[in-house]
C-alpha cells in the first residue's frame, strides 16, 4: 500500500492540460518540414556534391543558409519527438528508458547546434 | 508484478498490409533521424574547409555511401507521403477502411516512383562524373 495521496500520484504523469502538446508540436514541425524537405532533396540531387567550392557556394547563397538552418533545427525537433515515442514504446524499465530518452535529447540538441553552427560558418565566410 | 489480464495485443489481429505501412512509418522515421546525422556531418565537414571535405568525398561517392543515400531518400519520400496521410487522418479525412487502403496503395506507388527517379540521379550522375 502506498501512503502517497491520489493527487500526488497523478501529478506530473501527463495530461495536466499539457498532454496534447507533444502531439501538436509533432504535427506542426511535420507541416513545416514538408516543403523544406522537398527543397533540400531536389537541391542535393542537383548539386555536384564532390566539388567543395560548389557546395560552399550553394550553402552560402541567398536564402539557403536560413532554409538550411531551419531544416536542421526543425528536423532535429521533429526527430527528437518521434524517437521519444519509439523509446517510450519499446524500451522498458525506468533506468534504461530514462537514459535512452536523455541520450536522445542530448544527441538531437547536439545535432541541431552543430548543423546551425556549420551553416552559419559557411554563410558568414562566403559573405565576407 | 502480479499477473494481470492484458488487452489483446497486436498479434491477435489478422494481418493487413496497412499494418506494415504503419510500422514502416516508425522505421523510416528512425532511419531519417540517422540521415539527419549524415546531413549534419556533411555540413560540418564542408564548414571545416577543403581538406575536411576532401576526406568525406570518397565516402560520399563510394557504393556503400550511395546505397545509404538511396535508402535515406526512399525513407524520406515514404515518410513524407505517409506523413501527409497521417495529417489527413488527423483532420478526419480518409478513415474509412476502403479509403485507408487506397491511400496506402497510393503512398507505396508514389514512394516507388519517387525513389526510382532519385536513385537514378544518385547513381546515374556519378557515372558521368567518374
Amino acid at each position: 500500500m502506498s501512503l502517497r495521496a491520489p493527487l500526488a500520484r497523478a501529478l506530473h504523469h501527463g495530461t495536466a492540460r499539457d498532454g496534447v502538446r507533444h502531439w501538436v508540436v509533432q504535427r506542426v514541425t511535420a507541416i513545416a518540414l514538408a516543403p523544406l524537405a522537398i527543397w533540400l532533396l531536389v537541391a542535393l540531387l542537383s548539386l555536384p556534391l564532390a566539388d567543395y567550392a560548389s557546395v560552399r557556394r550553394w550553402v552560402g547563397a541567398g536564402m539557403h543558409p536560413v532554409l538550411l538552418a531551419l531544416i536542421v533545427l526543425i528536423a532535429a525537433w521533429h526527430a527528437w519527438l518521434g524517437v521519444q515515442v519509439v523509446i517510450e514504446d519499446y524500451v522498458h524499465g525506468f533506468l534504461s528508458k530514462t537514459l535512452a530518452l536523455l541520450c536522445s535529447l542530448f544527441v538531437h540538441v547536439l545535432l541541431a547546434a552543430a548543423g546551425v553552427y556549420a551553416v552559419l560558418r559557411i554563410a558568414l565566410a562566403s559573405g565576407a | 508484478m502480479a499477473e494481470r489480464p492484458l488487452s489483446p495485443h497486436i498479434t491477435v489481429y489478422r494481418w493487413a498490409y496497412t499494418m506494415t505501412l504503419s510500422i514502416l512509418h516508425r522505421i523510416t522515421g528512425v532511419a531519417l533521424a540517422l540521415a539527419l546525422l549524415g546531413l549534419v556531418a556533411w555540413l560540418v565537414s564542408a564548414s571545416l574547409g577543403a581538406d575536411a571535405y576532401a576526406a568525406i568525398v570518397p565516402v560520399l561517392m563510394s557504393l556503400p555511401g550511395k546505397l545509404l543515400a538511396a535508402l535515406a531518400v526512399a525513407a524520406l519520400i515514404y515518410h513524407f507521403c505517409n506523413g501527409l496521410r497521417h495529417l489527413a487522418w488527423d483532420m478526419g479525412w480518409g478513415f474509412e477502411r476502403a479509403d485507408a487502403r487506397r491511400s496506402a496503395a497510393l503512398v507505396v506507388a508514389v514512394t516507388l516512383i519517387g525513389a526510382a527517379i532519385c536513385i537514378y540521379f544518385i547513381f546515374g550522375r556519378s557515372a558521368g562524373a567518374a
Side-chain angles (χ1 to χ4, degrees), chain B residues 4 6 17 21 26 32 36-37 50 67 73 85 87 92 102 108 110-111 114-115 130:
Chain B
R4 287 179 298 185
L6 290 168
Y17 69 84
L21 269 83
R26 283 201 159 184
L32 287 169
L36 178 64
L37 182 70
L67 285 175
V73 166
R85 192 161 161 252
L87 289 173
R102 214 174 302 128
V108 172
V110 172
T111 302

Side-chain angles (χ1 to χ4, degrees), chain A residues 2 13 23 35 43 46 48 51 54 56 64-65 67 72 78 80 83 87 91 97 99-100 105 110 112-113 120 124:
Chain A
S2 168
H13 283 286
W23 186 92
S46 48
D51 182 24
S54 318
R56 293 275 301 206
H64 295 176
L67 296 177
V72 169
H78 184 80
W80 171 55
V83 169
I87 291 171
V91 180
K97 183 176 290 198
L99 285 178
L105 171 62
L110 182 68
L120 285 179
L124 297 176

Side-chain angles (χ1 to χ4, degrees), chain B residues 44-119:
Chain B
V44 167
S45 60
S47 79
L48 289 177
D51 293 343
Y53 197 76
I56 66 142
V57 165
V59 182
L60 222 53
M61 295 296 144
S62 69
L63 185 63
K66 292 198 165 198
L67 285 175
L68 279 178
L71 279 176
V73 166
L76 178 67
I77 296 173
Y78 177 83
H79 200 84
F80 178 92
C81 295
N82 205 49
L84 291 181
R85 192 161 161 252
H86 271 281
L87 289 173
W89 286 336
D90 293 339
M91 289 184 286
W93 298 337
F95 251 140
E96 290 301 320
R97 193 157 64 174
D99 294 338
R101 288 187 175 165
R102 214 174 302 128
S103 62
L106 187 65
V107 164
V108 172
V110 172
T111 302
L112 289 177
I113 295 168
I117 294 171
C118 294
I119 288 169

Side-chain angles (χ1 to χ4, degrees), chain A residues 18-38:
Chain A
D18 192 47
V20 81
R21 188 180 175 79
H22 184 286
W23 186 92
V24 169
V25 176
Q26 203 170 28
R27 268 75 190 163
V28 172
T29 49
I31 293 167
L33 275 176
L36 291 171
I38 295 181

Side-chain angles (χ1 to χ4, degrees), chain A residues 27 45 47 49 56 85 89-90, chain B residues 26 46 49-50 53 90 125:
Chain A
R27 268 75 190 163
L45 286 175
L47 194 66
L49 288 175
R56 293 275 301 206
V85 175
D89 280 358
Y90 303 130
Chain B
R26 283 201 159 184
Y53 197 76
D90 293 339
R125 286 191 321 137

